[in-house]
Amino acid sequence: MTDPVIASLRRALEAHPGDVVLRIHLAQTLLAGGDPAAAIAEASLALQADPANDQARLLLGTAATALSSPPGAAEPDDAPGGGAAPGAPAGPAAFDWDKAEHEVGSAVPPPFVEASPVPVGPAADDGDGTAPVEVPREAVTLSDVGGLDDVKRRLEESFLAPMRNAEVARAFGKSLRGGLLLYGPPGCGKTFLARAVAGELGATFLSVSMTDVIGSFMGETQKNLKRVFDEARAQAPTVLFIDEIDSLGMRRGALSGGGAAWLRQMVNELLLQLDSMSGDNDGLYVLAATNNPWDLDEALLRPGRLDRSILVSPPDHEARASILRHHLKNRPIAGIDVQHLATVTEGFSGADLEHVAVTAAEKAMMQSIAQGAISPITMDHLGDALREIRPSTVAWLESARNVVRFSNANGRYDDLAALLDGKKRR
Ligand SMILES: Nc1ncnc2c1ncn2[C@@H]1O[C@H](COP(=O)(O)OP(=O)(O)O)[C@@H](O)[C@H]1O
Ligand SMILES: [Mg+2]
C-alpha cells in the first residue's frame, strides 16, 4: 500500500490541502490500488470542499460499490473505469453495511425507539424488490410474511397441515389435490407467500411463470405446459405454483386477432392439465397467483380446478409495521418509530414499503459516505423517502370497485367487497 505515487500525492496535498483536483487524483489512485475505504475518505473530503463536484460524487459511488464487493473479488486495476465492482451486483442494495461500518468506523445508536416484539428470523435477502423469484428453498418462511393472517390460515388448512400430517389427513379422506388462486394488488406478497410456502413444505415445490412456459411457436407452449404438469405429477406430493396465471389463462372470449388461436390453445391446455388433476392425480396441489382475476377464463375457476380464491390484501397497520421492521432490521438504524411509519403508509403495498426502506438506506449511505462516518437511517431519511414514493395499491382498488359492483354475483369477490366497504366507511 505504500505506493510511491500515493506517498507523493499525499505530500503534495499536505502542502495544498484545498486542491480538489489533486485530492480526486489521490482518491482514484487509492481506488485503483485496491483501497476503497481510503478512496472514500479522500473523495468525501473533495466533495466537502467542492459539493458540486460530480467527479468526486461518482468516485464515491464507485468506491462504495468496490467496498461492498466480497474480499478477494476486488481487482486492483479495473475499479475506476467500470463503476460497478466485478462479480458483485451494482447499486446501493449491494452495499455491505457491516463491512462499511468496520472500514469507516463509528458507533451505531439504538435501532428502534420501541422494543421490537418481532422475533428476528434468518436474514432474508433484502434486495431492491426486483430480485428474481427463484431463491433457494427455505430462504423465506411464513413468519417472514407480514400480516395476511387469514391467508396463512387458509394455506395451512388447504395443504400445509394435510401435508405435514399425511396419516391424519388420509383418515379424514382429505387428499392433497385441488387448487387455490391468490389474487390482489401488485406488490402485496402473492409471489412472496408462495416462496414462503415453499420454505414451509417438506414436499416438492415447483414454480413456473409465464416466461418459463411460453414458447415462440404454436404448440411449443402447450408442450411446455404439459411437461411442467407431468414433472409435478411425477414428483408428487407437489405444490405447483403458477405465477401471473392471467398471462396464461386469459378469457378465451376476449382473445381476438392474430395471437388469439395460439393463446386459446394455451388456455385449453391449462384446463386439460388442471382436469387431469382431479383424476389420477392425488398429491398435486396447484397454487396460482394473479393481479387480475377478472381477466381469467371462468372455466379455470370451476370446481376441481382453481376453485378457491383468496384475496391477498394490501397490508394493514400491523402488517405494515412488521414489513417495515423486516426491511430495516439488518441495516444500521436509529430512533425509528415503526408505529408512526405504519400510520402514514396506508395504501402502501409490501413492495412500496420495501422501496421506502431501500430509498432511506440509500440516503443514509450517501450521507455516510460524504461524512466519512456511518450515519444510520433515521426518521428524517424515511420522511424524505416517503415524499418520493406513492402508494401503489390505490389505483388497483379503484378499478376493483367496478368489478365487485358488476361481476360478484357468485360471491367470488366477497372478501374484496368487504375490504372496499371497510375503506369507504373509514
Ligand atoms: N406481506 C408482506 N410481508 C413482507 N414483505 C412483503 C409483503 N408483501 C410484499 N412484500 C415485499 O414486497 C415484495 C414484492 O411482493 P410480491 O410477493 O412480489 O408481490 P406480488 O406477487 O403480490 O405482486 C416482496 O418480495 C417482499 O419483499
Ligand atoms: Mg408476483
Side-chain angles (χ1 to χ4, degrees):
M1 275 299 153
T2 47
D3 187 306
V5 178
I6 289 173
S8 70
L9 282 171
R10 283 200 191 282
R11 268 196 306 279
L13 270 168
E14 264 163 43
H16 307 278
D19 190 332
V20 173
V21 175
L22 198 60
R23 202 170 288 283
I24 288 174
H25 186 49
L26 172 60
Q28 281 168 338
T29 313
L30 286 163
L31 185 58
D35 192 354
I40 287 176
E42 296 303 328
S44 54
L45 282 176
L47 204 58
Q48 273 167 32
D50 179 9
N53 193 307
D54 286 338
Q55 208 184 355
R57 194 177 296 277
L58 194 71
L59 200 58
L60 267 180
T62 313
T65 311
L67 195 63
S68 71
S69 68
E75 278 150 51
D77 283 324
D78 82 66
F95 194 77
D96 183 341
W97 282 104
D98 287 342
K99 194 164 170 196
E101 224 169 286
H102 176 74
E103 304 251 20
V104 186
S106 169
V108 179
F112 293 109
V113 288
E114 29 130 44
S116 163
V118 172
V120 174
D125 166 27
D126 277 341
D128 61 3
T130 56
V133 174
E134 292 304 338
V135 291
R137 204 180 302 172
E138 282 103 38
V140 187
T141 65
L142 283 180
S143 64
D144 292 309
V145 180
L148 299 173
D149 292 336
D150 283 352
V151 179
K152 289 183 199 169
R153 202 173 313 118
R154 297 273 287 274
L155 291 170
E156 183 72 26
E157 283 165 12
S158 47
F159 62 87
L160 290 173
M163 281 186 116
R164 266 197 296 271
N165 308 284
E167 284 306 314
V168 183
R170 225 189 321 274
F172 283 91
K174 171 138 179 77
S175 58
L176 182 78
R177 64 159 66 169
L180 182 70
L181 178 69
L182 303 172
Y183 75 95
C188 289
K190 296 180 297 298
T191 304
F192 196 60
L193 261 171
R195 284 167 53 189
V197 165
E200 298 282 332
L201 275 181
T204 314
F205 183 93
L206 294 177
S207 169
V208 287
S209 71
M210 162 99 167
T211 40
D212 296 332
V213 169
I214 290 193
S216 47
F217 50 86
M218 275 270 219
E220 194 181 334
T221 306
Q222 261 173 294
K223 225 178 284 163
N224 290 344
L225 206 53
K226 183 171 179 329
R227 197 177 319 123
V228 167
F229 274 84
D230 283 345
E231 193 184 329
R233 279 186 280 264
Q235 297 186 33
T238 307
V239 173
L240 173 61
F241 176 55
I242 309 178
D243 207 358
E244 293 170 4
I245 192 171
D246 47 313
S247 49
L248 282 173
M250 267 173 284
R251 260 177 301 154
R252 285 163 296 179
L255 302 172
S256 60
W262 182 81
L263 284 163
R264 206 170 289 129
Q265 271 195 357
M266 200 154 74
V267 181
N268 286 334
E269 182 65 33
L270 195 54
L271 288 170
L272 188 74
Q273 292 302 332
L274 286 169
D275 279 346
S276 46
M277 247 167 52
S278 56
D280 57 331
N281 296 295
D282 264 10
L284 177 60
Y285 197 92
V286 175
L287 189 62
T290 177
N291 300 340
N292 309 299
W294 28 84
D295 287 344
L296 281 179
D297 197 296
E298 282 285 316
L300 282 170
L301 306 172
R302 299 230 176 92
R305 297 170 184 161
L306 300 169
D307 49 9
R308 293 205 267 177
S309 309
I310 308 186
L311 171 66
V312 179
S313 50
D316 61 13
H317 185 281
E318 202 188 319
R320 291 195 296 274
S322 104
I323 293 169
L324 281 163
R325 200 177 272 115
H326 175 77
H327 288 295
L328 288 168
K329 72 179 184 229
N330 292 326
R331 299 187 155 104
I333 45 176
I336 302 297
D337 184 347
V338 176
Q339 293 305 323
H340 172 73
L341 291 172
T343 305
V344 298
T345 49
E346 162 115 52
F348 280 65
S349 70
D352 295 339
L353 294 170
E354 181 177 1
H355 190 193
V356 167
V358 169
T359 304
E362 269 169 27
K363 291 183 187 301
M365 178 191 75
M366 286 318 285
Q367 190 183 333
S368 301
I369 288 170
Q371 292 171 348
I374 290 290
S375 156
I377 303 169
T378 63
M379 288 297 277
D380 285 345
H381 298 121
L382 284 153
D384 288 347
L386 280 170
R387 267 186 287 283
E388 293 170 15
I389 296 163
R390 300 265 65 86
S392 70
T393 66
V394 182
W396 188 93
L397 289 168
E398 274 315 308
S399 57
R401 229 175 255 289
N402 281 328
V403 175
V404 168
R405 197 174 305 142
F406 297 113
S407 53
N408 190 30
N410 54 10
R412 180 172 301 130
Y413 301 120
D414 278 354
D415 39 3
L416 181 55
L419 176 75
L420 291 169
D421 265 5
K423 288 220 181 299
K424 225 182 291 167
R425 270 201 299 275
R426 206 169 303 154

